[in-house]
Amino acid sequence: DDVDWIGDSYVLHDFGDCKIVDSAQKVERGQFLKEANDQDLMIFSFYPTKPVGGIDGGIIVSNDADKISWFKEASMNGMSYSHNNWERTLKFPGWKMYMNSFQAEVAIRNLNKLDEKKEKLNHVRERYNSFFGLSNTSEHLYRIKVQKRDQFILRMKEAGIVCGIHYRAAHLNPVYSIEKNQDLPNSVECDQTTVSIPYHENLSKQNIDYVLEYYSRSMEDLI
């Protein structure tokens, strides 16, 4: 029922001797050293809207050479890793999940722009925080809570402003239907009220003013 991790990293699973840290929405310098041990795995996303946007896919980071070696082989059809394709041998059934060169190039270019992107996002977030009286810190999503959320999203869409829902309560999805009777009040409340407003580094002052103006108009219409 933890809804505060959004925009941050969190421990996806702890095996005892190592853990998996999901950082699909956060990228910081020196982050692995601060949040993980050498044997841990940290996962980053290259989805286009993430901090280091690519075409898709992601990357797994660790200082455990054996784990990284296994992932390299598993993502390359289960073949032994070698810079020379003709020296690879099939060791176990794996997956074709490696990035192509074009995906990697897009991600690298965006990684090089990360500091500039963060600076621009900070300006957008500070303006939003001042307007809404919030202290959001995410560099991926800017979420607010809105009563009559679906009507609000429709009003904003009519003004040409596309909002999103991040995220619906996982335990209410059919695959988790066995858990529907659990008491998860925070997740249920967010499922009904959370909405993400436009938030990216290319928003101009005029764009932000427009979003906030129509937020106010939409809220007045829904009272």
Side-chain angles (χ1 to χ4, degrees):
D1 203 26
D2 178 10
V3 298
D4 295 329
W5 65 268
I6 295 175
D8 205 341
S9 57
Y10 68 98
V11 177
L12 179 64
H13 191 79
D14 192 337
F15 294 97
D17 59 340
C18 69
K19 61 182 180 292
I20 301 175
V21 180
D22 183 346
S23 193
Q25 300 185 7
K26 174 185 176 183
V27 180
E28 292 184 351
R29 293 182 180 274
Q31 183 180 343
F32 186 87
L33 292 177
K34 290 186 290 185
E35 299 183 14
N37 298 314
D38 285 347
Q39 67 272 20
D40 295 338
L41 301 171
M42 185 172 280
I43 306 169
F44 297 93
S45 172
F46 292 149
Y47 188 76
T49 61
K50 295 298 174 68
V52 178
I55 297 173
D56 210 343
I59 190 171
I60 300 173
V61 176
S62 179
N63 280 333
D64 189 319
D66 290 338
K67 289 188 178 74
I68 292 299
S69 177
W70 185 89
F71 279 111
K72 284 183 176 180
E73 293 174 349
S75 65
M76 189 71 73
N77 303 305
M79 292 191 296
S80 60
Y81 187 78
S82 173
H83 290 290
N84 184 344
N85 288 350
W86 302 109
E87 294 178 358
R88 293 174 178 160
T89 57
L90 187 62
K91 296 175 64 177
F92 58 89
W95 300 267
K96 183 179 174 67
M97 296 182 66
Y98 51 88
M99 287 194 299
N100 59 46
S101 298
F102 189 61
Q103 289 174 295
E105 177 67 17
V106 173
I108 288 172
R109 290 191 182 193
N110 281 318
L111 178 61
N112 290 333
K113 298 177 181 178
L114 184 61
D115 290 338
E116 178 185 353
K117 176 178 180 176
K118 283 174 173 283
E119 183 177 354
K120 292 179 178 178
L121 279 175
N122 285 340
H123 291 302
V124 179
R125 189 177 61 239
E126 288 174 5
R127 179 72 192 286
Y128 280 163
N129 278 346
S130 176
F131 181 87
F132 292 108
L134 299 174
S135 54
N136 288 349
T137 59
S138 172
E139 293 174 335
H140 173 52
L141 299 169
Y142 196 94
R143 302 189 310 144
I144 58 176
K145 291 183 179 180
V146 176
Q147 301 300 324
K148 300 182 180 178
R149 190 261 318 279
D150 294 343
Q151 295 96 316
F152 170 81
I153 290 177
L154 180 60
R155 291 282 198 286
M156 296 292 275
K157 185 177 181 181
E158 290 171 349
I161 302 170
V162 178
C163 299
I165 300 174
H166 300 89
Y167 298 93
R168 306 307 297 257
H171 73 291
L172 299 181
N173 281 280
V175 69
Y176 297 119
S177 60
I178 192 172
E179 306 294 341
K180 279 186 176 179
N181 293 326
Q182 283 196 1
D183 184 22
L184 303 175
N186 296 328
S187 298
V188 171
E189 181 192 8
C190 282
D191 182 86
Q192 298 169 351
T193 64
T194 189
V195 60
S196 298
I197 60 176
Y199 180 51
H200 56 82
E201 70 273 23
N202 291 321
L203 286 174
S204 66
K205 181 181 183 300
Q206 291 74 21
N207 294 149
I208 299 170
D209 289 343
Y210 187 77
V211 170
L212 297 180
E213 176 188 353
Y214 275 90
Y215 164 84
S216 298
R217 290 190 186 185
S218 298
M219 295 306 293
E220 288 176 0
D221 291 341
L222 296 174
I223 292 176

